[in-house]
């Protein structure tokens, strides 16, 4: 079954705010991937991380491969309305297939 | 660039009916995957094909069969659909097994 804990499950953003989410595992991972899914679409790859401690940016998005190799973080700076959607982390151990977190749903504050 | 193409996009089946979901990729990737996505469950692997000519079970293979028709195409078959198979199905491809996955747009299947 699922071995990744992704948090928070959901969050509300106001335009301009910074957003943080993370994934943790009890196992060591060799690869961390972050995806975004818009309604009615498939997940789209945002950032790929392959080395412990690695910090990679893609525009306003920054992701880090945790030093312990058991976690990863995604930050979105200065959020905009089109950032809403579901963000998934995915990890891979030395053996086995990619494992996906259950997602963090980003919505706009009412 | 089409990437990963899935057909159909939507389907309603009656319990017991069969159908095949089609997937094709034009990125010359070796590995192809079928996932299902259910609310609150994330993406769960049904079957995968690490390379042409091979297929393996994933986390939730019961009730499904697959065929890797050639390097481009990987189909998922439901022989006797059940309401528990109501889900959104995604096909994905990877250059080689367990590198970055690229997803299709999904097939929304309802079994009544």
């Amino acid at each position: 079954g699922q071995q990744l804990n992704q948090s928070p499950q959901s969050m509300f953003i106001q335009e301009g705010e910074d957003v943080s989410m993370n994934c943790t595992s009890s196992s060591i991972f060799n690869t961390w991937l972050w995806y975004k899914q818009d309604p009615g679409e498939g997940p789209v790859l945002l950032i790929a991380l392959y080395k412990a401690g690695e910090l990679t940016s893609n525009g306003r998005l920054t992701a880090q491969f945790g030093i312990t190799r058991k976690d990863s973080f995604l930050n979105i700076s200065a959020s905009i309305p089109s950032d809403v959607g579901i963000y998934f982390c995915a990890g891979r151990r030395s053996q086995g297939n990619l494992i996906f977190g259950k997602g963090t749903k980003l919505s706009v504050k009412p | 660039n089409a990437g990963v193409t899935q057909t159909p996009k939507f389907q309603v089946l009656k319990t017991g009916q069969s159908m095949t979901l089609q997937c094709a990729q034009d990125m010359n990737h070796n590995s192809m995957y079928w996932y299902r996505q259910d609310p609150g469950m994330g993406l769960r692997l049904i079957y995968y094909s690490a390379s042409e000519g091979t297929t393996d079970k994933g986390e939730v293979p019961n009730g499904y069969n697959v065929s890797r028709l050639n390097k481009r195409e990987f189909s998922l078959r439901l022989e006797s659909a059940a309401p528990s198979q109501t889900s959104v199905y995604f096909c994905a491809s990877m250059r080689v097994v367990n590198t970055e996955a690229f997803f299709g747009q999904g097939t929304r299947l309802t079994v009544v």
Side-chain angles (χ1 to χ4, degrees), chain B residues 80-91:
Chain B
S80 179
S84 61
Q85 293 177 305
T86 293
S87 187
V88 182
Y89 291 86
F90 287 99
C91 177

Side-chain angles (χ1 to χ4, degrees), chain A residues 1-2 31 33 35 37-45 48 50 86 88 92 95-103, chain B residues 33 35 37-38 40-45 48 57-59 88 90 94 97-106 108:
Chain A
Q2 295 273 358
T31 300
L33 306 174
Y35 288 85
Q37 185 179 26
D38 291 323
E41 302 289 331
V44 174
L45 182 67
Y50 296 103
I86 302 177
F88 290 99
R92 183 180 71 87
Q95 298 288 336
N97 292 301
L98 281 175
I99 300 169
F100 284 81
K102 295 184 179 181
Chain B
Y33 298 74
Y35 293 89
Q37 184 177 36
D38 302 294
M41 298 294 290
L43 289 153
R44 294 184 291 170
L45 182 63
Y48 67 102
K57 295 178 180 179
E59 182 185 354
V88 182
F90 287 99
M94 302 182 193
V97 66
N98 287 325
T99 51
E100 300 154 15
F102 294 87
F103 287 86
Q105 287 196 308
R108 282 144 189 84

Side-chain angles (χ1 to χ4, degrees), chain B residues 21-98:
Chain B
L21 281 65
Q22 307 286 354
C23 175
Q25 52 92 8
D26 62 2
M27 295 177 282
N28 200 33
H29 285 173
N30 289 300
S31 303
M32 297 185 74
Y33 298 74
W34 277 104
Y35 293 89
R36 61 177 288 173
Q37 184 177 36
D38 302 294
M41 298 294 290
L43 289 153
R44 294 184 291 170
L45 182 63
I46 304 171
Y47 269 94
Y48 67 102
S49 170
S51 60
E52 188 178 355
T54 70
T55 60
D56 286 287
K57 295 178 180 179
E59 182 185 354
V60 288
N62 291 345
Y64 306 95
N65 285 302
V66 291
S67 295
R68 183 74 183 267
L69 304 170
N70 48 56
K71 190 172 185 179
R72 291 186 63 247
E73 298 173 287
F74 188 38
S75 63
L76 179 72
R77 183 159 178 84
L78 286 71
E79 290 290 352
S80 179
S84 61
Q85 293 177 305
T86 293
S87 187
V88 182
Y89 291 86
F90 287 99
C91 177
S93 72
M94 302 182 193
R95 181 176 52 80
V96 292
V97 66
N98 287 325

